[in-house]
Amino acid sequence: MKRTAFFISDGTGITAESLGRSLLAQFSDVEIDMLTKPYIDTLDKAQALAEIIDSTAVRDGHRPIIIDTIVDQDIRNVIRQASGFKVDIFSTFLEPLEQELETHSSYSVGRTHSIGSDDVYMDRIHSVHFALDNDDGARTHQYDKADIILVGVSRCGKTPTSLYLALQFGIRAANYPLTEDDLDEDGSLKLPKALAPHRHKLFGLTIDARRLAAIRNERRPNSRYSSMDQCLQEVGQAESLYRSMHIPFIDTTRFSVEEISTRMIAETGLARRFSPR
């Protein structure tokens, strides 16, 4: 079965898309084409989109799924007339909350993903800059300012995790690659000198060697860097280092960057500077 889902908003559409994808992910046996439609903030835009939804219903032979966070009642009414199954987030959740809180919602567009406090916004920007400046062991002299330092072999997910931690939580995350230069005389990895003073900030990432080889092969096909033997050796050495140095670590093979970051925060008790938007 193939269905189409529309995530509709008069703002960015981030909330509708995030919730919609989370809900629809529970139906793995259904092929769903997901379309995000942000800034549907006029009646003309709403009418044009309603026509698209109607034509999609005819094409698919099934009514599309509509998940929306539209605030304006007139625009919502236009979308309601379209041939779709509606999941209206505001009417589903806000009305019961209004009753419980004994007050009315502001029904303001874009409140969730607006800039908000200048201090929070600038903290977010500074954290992202810190992650970029301290990517891949670039500036180890700034590690005293880091909230956490991710370590792991090349291509195990350090950079995207660092950036996600910065953007979503304001966490200043640096990352350092473990390479053959860090090998000890017996062939095992040793803790690099730049990391030793900050051992309490270290968090390791590991990955299945087969997955690592596949990722590296896209970057450098048929090279020693992407060979299975090399990946097995590096992953094994990294995990041995984590265990011997009592460095907490997580296997990133089957986790998204969101899951990696959240699990890391839960395990370390790392303080967020703000909540995700």
Side-chain angles (χ1 to χ4, degrees):
M1 183 189 302
K2 183 175 181 180
R3 302 291 291 267
T4 301
F6 288 89
F7 307 136
I8 307 171
S9 175
D10 39 15
T12 63
I14 294 173
T15 301
E17 181 176 354
S18 297
L19 179 58
R21 288 185 179 275
S22 296
L23 292 172
L24 296 175
Q26 307 304 314
F27 303 93
S28 57
D29 56 337
V30 181
E31 182 182 352
I32 303 177
D33 186 16
M34 303 182 192
L35 304 174
T36 302
K37 299 293 182 180
Y39 301 113
I40 306 300
D41 50 10
T42 67
L43 292 175
D44 287 343
K45 290 180 181 179
Q47 187 59 52
L49 180 56
E51 292 173 4
I52 292 173
I53 293 171
D54 288 341
S55 63
T56 301
V58 173
R59 182 198 67 196
D60 293 351
H62 298 283
R63 57 180 179 170
I65 309 300
I66 299 174
I67 297 177
D68 80 81
T69 55
I70 294 174
V71 172
D72 187 280
Q73 186 63 52
D74 292 334
I75 295 175
R76 289 165 66 190
N77 288 337
V78 172
I79 298 299
R80 280 179 177 173
Q81 300 306 312
S83 302
F85 174 79
K86 286 96 178 164
V87 180
D88 186 332
I89 294 176
F90 278 127
S91 64
T92 302
F93 297 108
L94 279 186
E95 290 175 10
L97 279 172
E98 286 178 333
Q99 295 176 16
E100 178 63 27
L101 298 175
E102 299 180 346
T103 187
H104 291 290
S105 163
S106 64
Y107 285 88
S108 300
V109 178
R111 290 292 294 271
T112 304
H113 301 285
S114 61
I115 288 178
S117 164
D118 287 342
D119 290 341
V120 170
Y121 182 72
M122 292 310 299
D123 213 1
R124 183 194 303 265
I125 297 302
H126 290 324
S127 297
V128 171
H129 285 169
F130 184 88
L132 292 171
D133 287 343
N134 291 276
D135 184 42
D136 219 22
R139 289 180 172 83
T140 58
H141 65 277
Q142 295 184 3
Y143 283 0
D144 60 319
K145 299 180 178 66
D147 297 315
I148 194 168
I149 304 169
L150 309 185
V151 294
V153 300
S154 173
R155 315 304 290 181
C156 69
K158 299 184 300 300
T159 296
T161 303
S162 297
L163 288 170
Y164 186 85
L165 287 168
L167 186 60
Q168 291 295 314
F169 304 109
I171 291 171
R172 290 179 173 82
N175 73 78
Y176 187 98
L178 298 174
T179 69
E180 290 182 332
D181 293 337
D182 300 313
L183 289 176
D184 214 336
E185 293 180 358
D186 62 356
S188 61
L189 278 174
K190 59 184 177 182
L191 192 65
K193 291 182 180 179
L195 299 180
H198 311 286
R199 184 169 159 182
H200 62 291
K201 297 182 179 181
L202 301 184
F203 196 97
L205 300 184
T206 188
I207 188 171
D208 180 80
R210 289 167 295 183
R211 175 62 178 153
L212 180 61
I215 294 171
R216 288 183 173 184
N217 196 59
E218 293 179 3
R219 185 181 178 93
R220 297 182 195 170
N222 303 316
S223 64
R224 176 173 175 267
Y225 170 77
S226 62
S227 70
M228 180 60 71
D229 287 344
Q230 181 68 18
C231 292
L232 282 168
Q233 178 181 327
E234 290 186 29
V235 169
Q237 290 170 335
E239 292 183 3
S240 294
L241 175 68
Y242 301 153
R243 294 187 179 97
S244 64
M245 294 289 178
H246 303 290
I247 298 171
F249 67 97
I250 187 172
D251 187 333
T252 66
T253 307
R254 295 176 179 83
F255 292 142
S256 65
V257 67
E258 294 89 347
E259 290 174 300
I260 296 168
S261 301
T262 305
R263 287 172 180 269
M264 187 182 302
I265 290 172
E267 185 167 338
T268 62
L270 202 59
R272 311 177 183 190
R273 287 189 171 80
F274 48 76
S275 298
R277 303 182 69 82

